[in-house]
Amino acid sequence: MSRPRLIKESSAPLPLDRELLVRIHDLMVKTRVLEERLIQMYKQGHGYFWIGGPGEEAFNVPLGLLMKKGQGPEYDFLHAHYRQSGTLLALGEEPIGALRQMKNTASDPYSGGRNFAGHFSLRKYNVAPVSSPIEVQYSIAPGTAMVQKRVGGDGITIVTGGDAGTAEGDFATCLVWSSRPANPLPVLIIVTNNKWGISTSAEGQHGEPRVSERGKAFNIRSKTINGNDPVESYLELKEAMEYVRKERRPFLLEANVSRLYGHSSASGANYVTEEVDCLKDFEKRLEQDGVLTRQQMDDLRNRYTEDMAAAARIARDEPLPEPESIWKHIFAEDK
Amino acid sequence: MANMAQAIRMALHYAETHLGVTDIFGEDVGAPLGGVFTCTQGLKTTWNSPLDERGIIGAAMGIAMGGGRPVAEIQFCDYVYNTIDLLKLAGNTCWSSNGDWNLPMVVRTPVGSGIRGSIYHSHSFDATMTHIPGWKVVMPSNPLDAYGLLISACKEQNPVMYLEPKALLRVKGEERIPGEPDDDRTLSKLIDAPLGDRSQWKPQWPEALEAFAVPIGKGKLVREGHQVTVVSYGRTLPLCARAAATLADEGISVEVIDLRSLWPYDWDMMKASIQKTGRVLFVNEDTEVTNFGEHLVRRTVDELFYSLLAPPRLLAGKFVPGIGLADTLEMASVPQQNDITTALRALAGEQP
């Protein structure tokens, strides 16, 4: 379906501009440090629950960089799940927003202290509110794509979820509704496959060898990629997005990723050593190719760690929402 | 006079030509059928969806997020139950995003008994729906209100659940919808699809239709009275009105309120009436345990206890798993004319 990529040869030079490689790396480090800070905040009692996506930076950062960012159907819509801080940072969000959400402050820009960490909502960039029930976003995504197709232009709808949630009917809904012969839709259907649903391994639950193969039954172009490689992710996402933008048809992309800190604080949120660490692997290659030195990368990480600690201190001292604010925003007119 | 199905169709026509409705969709909503109850025949933005209720509600949410204005239909409310978590999500989207997003969407679904629909085509949805915050919930009992409430729903910035009492969809109104033709036959010729081949058929919409809107949250005083208040909506409302007429002949004066909007609801109207009469009966046909009428009873006791001359009463459907097909079973399961008259008579005669 698509040409083999030289990037899989570890000796081949990285096929992206140095500037882009450095930017991807910067955002991956920023994301990782943010997630580690969120976990620390949870463990220190500065939040009730942590859930996030360390291990998915190599995929999520390129996704955010490639999105056509803006508000309204001319721009891309993102129906995300709760492991995508990397995508949000790549869209230009500052990490303190996520820290404020963890601390449930009134200043939390995504929910005003009402929702869990990682549950972003950003209308200015078409990021639909993230929901805790997994996979409902797969039922909603065709709706925004319908509007986009009608409006014209090249805006697409991107929906992401995990492999466990593909057992839900909503995933089938997305495949069916995106590929209706009456109105095929510009939806990039993404599954980040970390091979786990909380404590249950995919091996015991999924008979299909690859989730992407489910696209075949619906005549949906599909592919499985290595989501732990940011260069492969960037190139494959770019190609898939260009297809959806131009053809106004769906594409199913499965990205194999790692789950470096377990499912959430419910499973301990401790580093899992046996998983591939996309950031470590990428840094090895950057160093090997002379893109960045170890020292530069260490300095970057230290700087972000300090920044994040300072931001966490700011968030910690901010007030919680006023009790009477529960009555605000039940309806659009309750401002 | 138009019947309720025609009224809904005319409101949708008005909404898609004047109020920005972009998508009227659901199972069998588009051509050739135009809805199993004919409510969507001949409309220009209709389309048929897959047989997938979760997809229908999800798509409506997405269309609303994308800047469209959808009116989705679930063929029978009995089938909306597998979308409950999506309904919850639609209801909390504005709140959970701290006002960042809002969903201007309407979901229509036929509810209640009266067509001998058996276990899966007779359920009510008012108790379940009023349990989901963030939605506005309406239920007309006549064609004029059906028209006016749908116009309001299509102007809303929030999700609106529009419950259609299926027993009343074919009942003609007593009041004319502003702009409908004077004569029923003329109306039918203009807007009812012919039987058989409809491929060449196009409706001729009455040009004089107006943006007549029934505000959401306002009840209707159907009949004034001073001895007892009855509050109802949907299928049981006309039964309550007839019971009041019957009891008037016996010298019992019943005030009848059509709630029309279940959320938000017209407490001011109910309160004024209950304070005047001291007696109130709430009537609906949803199952009686954890019934929306129970909430109204509770609020009446909380706020109006010292105005009451008798305990507030609720007449509702029996708490049984379904409505059986046999006529005797259906009649025994949900309030009928005689049940309402008897309950009102007893309440009017109850002394402190």
Side-chain angles (χ1 to χ4, degrees):
Chain A
M1 194 169 291
S2 65
R3 61 196 181 279
R5 297 201 183 281
L6 291 171
I7 51 169
K8 287 182 178 161
E9 307 289 332
S10 59
S11 57
L14 288 163
L16 293 178
D17 291 346
R18 183 183 183 276
E19 196 186 339
L20 182 57
L21 291 168
V22 170
R23 197 168 169 213
I24 291 172
H25 172 258
D26 183 280
L27 285 163
M28 284 175 68
V29 175
K30 199 176 185 180
T31 306
R32 179 66 60 85
V33 173
L34 166 62
E35 290 288 355
E36 287 170 350
R37 175 57 56 178
L38 289 169
I39 291 169
Q40 198 175 359
M41 283 176 78
Y42 160 74
K43 291 190 174 181
Q44 290 170 338
H46 294 292
Y48 298 109
F49 176 72
W50 168 81
I51 193 159
E56 298 195 23
E57 298 91 345
F59 183 80
N60 285 335
V61 165
L63 177 62
L65 290 175
L66 285 161
M67 272 179 65
K68 190 179 169 192
K69 188 171 86 172
Q71 185 175 338
E74 296 82 5
Y75 301 91
D76 292 351
F77 272 88
L78 177 65
H79 300 269
H81 63 151
Y82 42 59
R83 310 179 76 87
Q84 283 188 268
S85 50
T87 308
L88 268 288
L89 293 189
L91 284 172
E93 282 296 278
E94 288 302 324
I96 193 166
L99 300 174
R100 285 171 164 150
Q101 194 172 39
M102 170 56 87
K103 185 64 178 61
N104 342 122
T105 60
S107 58
D108 155 20
Y110 310 117
S111 72
R114 294 169 176 198
N115 217 337
F116 286 138
H119 287 57
F120 300 103
S121 166
L122 207 56
R123 192 169 195 171
K124 66 176 178 178
Y125 294 153
N126 284 347
V127 178
V130 171
S131 145
S132 297
I134 54 168
E135 311 314 316
V136 289
Q137 67 272 25
Y138 282 119
S139 282
I140 299 168
T144 49
M146 263 179 241
V147 176
Q148 289 174 310
K149 188 166 176 188
R150 189 180 298 147
V151 165
D154 64 355
I156 65 170
T157 287
I158 300 153
V159 56
T160 62
D163 52 299
T166 63
E168 302 271 4
D170 299 76
F171 187 67
T173 286
C174 197
L175 296 176
V176 171
W177 286 65
S178 302
S179 64
R180 286 193 311 140
N183 190 19
L185 299 174
V187 189
L188 176 57
I189 307 166
I190 292 170
V191 179
T192 54
N193 187 347
N194 65 21
K195 299 185 172 54
W196 290 97
I198 307 188
S199 69
T200 304
S201 94
E203 283 171 9
Q205 308 298 333
H206 286 266
E208 72 271 41
R210 285 182 168 187
V211 175
S212 65
E213 286 176 15
R214 291 172 69 178
K216 283 184 191 168
F218 296 87
N219 208 16
I220 294 176
R221 197 168 163 184
S222 56
K223 196 165 190 181
T224 298
I225 66 161
N226 176 13
N228 279 327
D229 181 342
V231 177
E232 180 171 338
S233 294
Y234 188 92
L235 293 171
E236 294 291 357
L237 272 166
K238 191 161 182 280
E239 189 173 304
M241 285 165 111
E242 276 168 8
Y243 169 82
V244 178
R245 274 190 215 295
K246 187 162 166 278
E247 302 297 328
R248 316 307 285 161
R249 299 185 74 83
F251 191 108
L252 171 58
L253 186 68
E254 177 188 20
N256 290 323
V257 296
S258 295
R259 195 177 70 166
L260 289 181
Y261 283 83
H263 171 260
S264 64
S265 49
S267 57
N270 295 316
Y271 189 76
V272 182
T273 50
E274 58 266 32
E275 295 265 348
V276 171
D277 186 328
C278 60
L279 184 57
K280 280 185 186 164
D281 281 14
F282 189 39
E283 291 194 337
K284 251 184 244 163
R285 293 196 60 197
L286 292 174
E287 198 180 3
Q288 185 184 303
D289 278 30
V291 178
L292 288 167
T293 65
R294 189 64 258 169
Q295 187 63 46
Q296 284 173 311
M297 294 188 287
D298 288 346
D299 289 348
L300 181 74
R301 190 163 184 137
N302 290 337
R303 199 169 72 241
Y304 276 135
T305 303
E306 282 171 26
D307 288 354
M308 228 59 80
R313 279 193 295 276
I314 293 171
R316 251 176 257 169
D317 294 335
E318 288 179 344
L320 298 182
E322 294 296 327
E324 60 269 25
S325 72
I326 58 171
W327 301 107
K328 275 191 186 170
H329 309 302
I330 295 172
F331 293 116
E333 55 269 30
D334 304 331
K335 296 283 183 193
Chain B
M1 305 286 179
N3 64 36
M4 193 183 283
Q6 291 170 322
I8 289 167
R9 209 185 306 151
M10 287 192 281
L12 289 173
H13 164 71
Y14 188 89
E16 68 181 3
T17 47
H18 293 91
L19 304 178
V21 163
T22 55
D23 295 81
I24 298 168
F25 70 103
E27 295 154 15
D28 304 303
V29 161
L33 193 58
V36 293
F37 292 102
T38 73
C39 293
T40 53
Q41 286 178 350
L43 295 161
K44 65 174 180 172
T45 62
T46 54
W47 48 274
N48 289 321
S49 77
L51 207 159
D52 174 15
E53 288 81 18
R54 293 188 64 81
I56 292 168
I57 300 296
M61 293 170 70
I63 290 168
M65 276 180 188
R69 187 176 265 285
V71 179
E73 177 181 306
I74 299 295
Q75 205 158 68
F76 287 89
C77 82
D78 309 69
Y79 305 134
V80 81
Y81 283 84
N82 73 344
T83 72
I84 281 284
D85 66 327
L86 285 166
L87 298 182
K88 181 183 174 192
L89 187 62
N92 73 28
T93 291
C94 186
W95 193 87
S96 68
S97 67
N98 212 18
D100 196 18
W101 291 88
N102 61 292
L103 299 176
M105 58 187 271
V106 179
V107 176
R108 301 170 35 246
T109 190
V111 296
S113 66
I115 62 159
R116 301 302 182 265
S118 181
I119 296 166
Y120 279 100
H121 306 83
S122 306
H123 215 290
S124 294
F125 199 54
D126 37 317
T128 307
M129 200 57 223
T130 49
H131 198 71
I132 305 178
W135 283 78
K136 298 191 177 179
V137 186
V138 300
M139 184 156 162
S141 71
N142 62 69
L144 181 64
D145 285 347
Y147 183 90
L149 285 170
L150 195 45
I151 294 289
S152 290
C154 292
K155 290 178 173 174
E156 265 289 329
Q157 293 305 308
N158 303 288
V160 180
M161 181 60 73
Y162 183 93
L163 303 174
E164 299 170 1
K166 62 177 85 81
L168 302 180
L169 283 167
R170 294 276 172 269
V171 178
K172 287 181 182 180
E174 293 172 0
E175 294 169 286
R176 199 172 298 284
I177 292 162
E180 76 164 285
D182 292 340
D183 159 55
D184 297 351
R185 279 191 163 178
T186 308
L187 178 67
S188 181
K189 259 189 159 172
L190 292 173
I191 70 167
D192 289 344
L195 296 174
D197 180 20
R198 295 166 174 185
S199 55
Q200 303 306 312
W201 173 77
K202 277 199 166 45
Q204 291 175 278
W205 298 105
E207 283 174 17
L209 286 176
E210 293 172 21
F212 170 79
V214 171
I216 293 176
K218 292 286 171 201
K220 183 179 183 180
L221 194 60
V222 174
R223 182 190 181 102
E224 285 193 57
H226 58 83
Q227 273 179 284
V228 57
T229 299
V230 61
V231 179
S232 189
Y233 44 83
R235 181 187 74 90
T236 48
L237 191 280
L239 303 181
C240 292
R242 275 201 288 278
T246 303
L247 291 169
D249 296 339
E250 298 175 17
I252 299 170
S253 171
V254 178
E255 183 143 297
V256 183
I257 291 174
D258 185 351
L259 207 49
R260 303 197 291 195
S261 292
L262 279 64
W263 196 271
Y265 59 78
D266 197 340
W267 179 243
D268 288 346
M269 182 178 278
M270 281 186 276
K271 183 178 173 181
S273 179
I274 296 165
Q275 282 177 326
K276 178 172 70 173
T277 63
R279 295 178 167 87
V280 62
L281 173 71
F282 299 102
V283 182
N284 65 56
E285 62 168 280
D286 207 340
T287 44
E288 63 193 356
V289 178
T290 323
N291 182 291
F292 178 60
E294 288 188 332
H295 160 68
L296 298 176
V297 169
R298 193 265 290 166
R299 189 162 182 189
T300 303
V301 171
D302 278 357
E303 296 187 28
L304 305 173
F305 184 78
Y306 296 107
S307 304
L308 293 171
L309 299 170
R313 302 284 184 196
L314 170 67
L315 181 63
K318 301 293 189 297
F319 192 61
V320 292
I323 290 175
L325 181 58
D327 191 53
T328 46
L329 300 181
E330 176 168 319
M331 299 293 270
S333 300
V334 289
Q336 306 299 331
Q337 182 73 68
N338 190 44
D339 302 321
I340 296 168
T341 312
T342 304
L344 280 170
R345 191 184 289 121
L347 184 57
E350 206 168 320
Q351 292 303 319

